[in-house]
Amino acid sequence: MRDQWVRAGLWGAVPIATLAVACMPLLGMEPMTWVILMWFVFLALRAIIDPVPFSRYHMRWTVFLALPFFMMLLDMFRAPDMAIGWKYAERSTALLLFPVAFLLFGAPATKRFREALMNVFTIAAVALAVFSNAMVLITDAPLVVVDEPGYIYTYRAEFGLLTGLHPPYAAYYYFLAALFQIVRLLDDAPQRTLRWIGIGALFLAGVALASRMPLFAFATAALLIALVRIPRKEAWRGMLGVFVAIVLILALSPGMRERSSEIFRDFTIPASQSEVTSTNVRLPLAICSVETIAANWLLGTGQAQAQATLDACYKQFEIPLLLDGSYGTHNQFLHWWLCFGIGGVLLFVGYFGTLLWNAWRQRNATCLAFLVFLLICMVTENLLARQWGVVLFAFFNALFVAGMLADRASTQGRGA
């Protein structure tokens, strides 16, 4: 009798804990870590007591999805000591943990549950938008952000201090949640009015953060959804509408207009720290990324030495801001190339190429939009080098792959 109660408790706890992980936009880094840990413990205990069967395809996909983490484990041996090497590899354990959870331990990934997870993620993203903007409105800006150059920089700095979240990652949450709901609307999901309101609120919250690349990635992913899911003529009309909307946003949104105008005027390397903007700071980053990769193109520097190698290059610009230890390549492809050499290049191309091809072959608009959105954002961000980014990617990526296998098994079962 006790065993039955334990089994029933674990089978009930797993879906609830999975939904809790989808609340990641509202969870800070430490609470999110504890939620993921508890979720994984529930799954592991259930797998021990009442194992969920899996096929060789599940095992193959688990190994494939965890390949970046395995490369980082091997890279540990290049670090000055194993503790330092593990510090860098540990950030990416989600790339192993989520595939194991969804593909081997049987975390729920049915179509209905995937929809529930995307809805919970959307609700959490909307709650983050409401909470953060309410706090910005009712809270006096701390002195540390008062001197920021312009309203949008003050807003973004205050947003980061109040939420503990780097603004671009909040934009990822907002725009991805909006993309998920666009697909749900095309699936004729109920509560259509609420979904449209949610999409509008999330879009405005993302625009308010004035993160340029996430906005471009959102527009591109939305157009891809249109091409996959609606007739071609209507899709082209949608493209025109999105283009017009982006032009209006750039013209009417003060923050987006201010940050977009930097692209056209800041083409020179800043001569001093006072001249640094979010655009021209990327010039020394790009120069040093290319120089350090050219010097280490075959084997890379190793993760533990990458930042120190870049910092040594940054010294030539005499900008103290660049030497605070946080300015990497700001490009995921270049980051893996710098860290792992040609192996990182092959991993990036093979890994994401396979994921894109699989999603396209399945005509999975949600997965395609998710991958394209994040890949475009990786052009200006080391997305998989930060836990915010790696958890977001690893969770939904493993979910969509597990969902593909679950849908295939369901189809074969009905055929039999």
Side-chain angles (χ1 to χ4, degrees):
M1 179 65 73
R2 181 178 296 177
D3 288 347
Q4 292 178 350
W5 279 104
V6 171
R7 281 190 172 90
L10 288 173
W11 278 93
V14 164
I16 295 172
T18 310
L19 292 170
V21 177
C23 294
M24 64 182 75
L26 277 180
L27 301 174
M29 187 56 63
E30 187 173 346
M32 181 169 65
T33 301
W34 282 107
V35 168
I36 293 172
L37 179 61
M38 291 177 60
W39 170 68
F40 195 78
V41 168
F42 287 146
L43 280 164
L45 290 173
R46 192 186 70 173
I48 294 170
I49 296 172
D50 200 3
V52 176
F54 56 84
S55 69
R56 66 181 184 276
Y57 297 108
H58 291 79
M59 180 60 74
R60 289 174 183 173
W61 271 108
T62 300
V63 172
F64 175 79
L65 294 181
L67 282 178
F69 177 69
F70 293 145
M71 176 169 278
M72 293 170 196
L73 279 182
L74 291 175
D75 186 69
M76 285 172 53
F77 295 97
R78 305 170 63 189
D81 62 66
M82 294 295 286
I84 294 176
W86 172 246
K87 183 184 76 171
Y88 288 93
E90 182 270 337
R91 296 175 185 172
S92 300
T93 50
L95 292 167
L96 173 66
L97 186 149
F98 285 115
V100 168
F102 279 109
L103 295 164
L104 302 186
F105 287 177
T110 62
K111 184 176 186 297
R112 184 175 180 182
F113 200 83
R114 295 197 303 272
E115 293 169 353
L117 285 172
M118 288 187 284
N119 288 340
V120 169
F121 180 81
T122 301
I123 292 169
V126 171
L128 172 66
V130 172
F131 165 78
S132 59
N133 284 285
M135 290 298 293
V136 168
L137 286 173
I138 66 176
T139 305
D140 292 332
L143 293 177
V144 71
V145 303
V146 168
D147 294 330
E148 291 289 335
Y151 155 75
I152 190 55
Y153 287 99
T154 301
Y155 172 77
R156 285 165 62 91
E158 189 173 1
F159 177 95
L161 287 173
L162 291 171
T163 64
L165 188 60
H166 192 37
Y169 289 86
Y172 301 159
Y173 291 147
Y174 296 155
F175 287 127
L176 270 177
L179 288 170
F180 291 160
Q181 292 309 311
I182 289 173
V183 177
R184 297 289 290 121
L185 285 170
L186 292 173
D187 289 336
D188 294 324
Q191 291 92 40
R192 296 180 66 81
T193 301
L194 282 177
R195 294 180 195 277
W196 276 117
I197 292 172
I199 291 170
L202 290 165
F203 183 77
L204 290 175
V207 170
L209 286 171
S211 291
R212 295 158 298 199
M213 192 58 75
L215 176 62
F216 175 72
F218 170 79
T220 304
L223 295 178
L224 181 60
I225 292 172
L227 288 172
V228 172
R229 294 295 303 272
I230 64 178
R232 189 60 54 88
K233 184 179 292 186
E234 294 182 23
W236 285 111
R237 291 173 183 167
M239 288 183 184
L240 179 60
V242 169
F243 176 77
V244 172
I246 290 177
V247 171
L248 289 175
I249 289 167
L250 295 177
L252 300 177
S253 169
M256 192 63 75
R257 185 172 64 245
E258 179 181 347
R259 282 172 54 81
S260 297
S261 65
E262 292 175 359
I263 299 173
F264 302 100
R265 70 170 187 263
D266 292 342
F267 278 115
T268 57
I269 297 172
S272 64
Q273 185 157 310
S274 62
E275 297 179 9
V276 170
T277 69
S278 64
T279 299
N280 63 21
V281 74
R282 296 182 183 275
L283 293 173
L285 302 188
I287 291 170
C288 285
S289 294
V290 172
E291 287 183 5
T292 51
I293 288 172
N296 303 275
W297 67 272
L298 183 59
L299 298 177
T301 63
Q303 285 197 109
Q305 300 296 332
Q307 189 61 54
T309 305
L310 287 170
D311 288 345
C313 178
Y314 294 152
K315 289 180 180 179
Q316 64 182 294
F317 300 106
E318 299 182 350
I319 300 175
L321 178 68
L322 294 177
L323 301 176
D324 68 0
S326 66
Y327 283 88
T329 61
H330 270 61
N331 178 291
Q332 188 62 50
F333 174 76
L334 296 181
H335 178 71
W336 277 7
W337 194 352
L338 175 62
C339 291
F340 311 124
I342 289 298
V345 173
L346 296 176
L347 176 64
F348 189 95
V349 174
Y351 190 77
F352 288 105
T354 300
L355 292 173
L356 284 169
W357 168 246
N358 183 68
W360 177 258
R361 187 179 60 182
Q362 301 292 327
R363 291 298 189 272
N364 188 326
T366 308
C367 187
L368 270 173
F370 168 78
L371 290 170
V372 168
F373 177 87
L374 289 184
L375 278 169
I376 292 174
C377 291
M378 288 180 193
V379 173
T380 57
E381 189 69 37
N382 296 349
L383 199 144
L384 299 182
R386 289 176 177 257
Q387 284 189 319
W388 288 312
V390 76
V391 168
L392 173 65
F393 169 77
F395 178 77
F396 282 107
N397 191 45
L399 172 69
F400 293 143
V401 170
M404 171 198 69
L405 296 177
D407 293 347
R408 182 186 299 172
S410 177
T411 301
Q412 292 173 348
R414 287 196 299 269

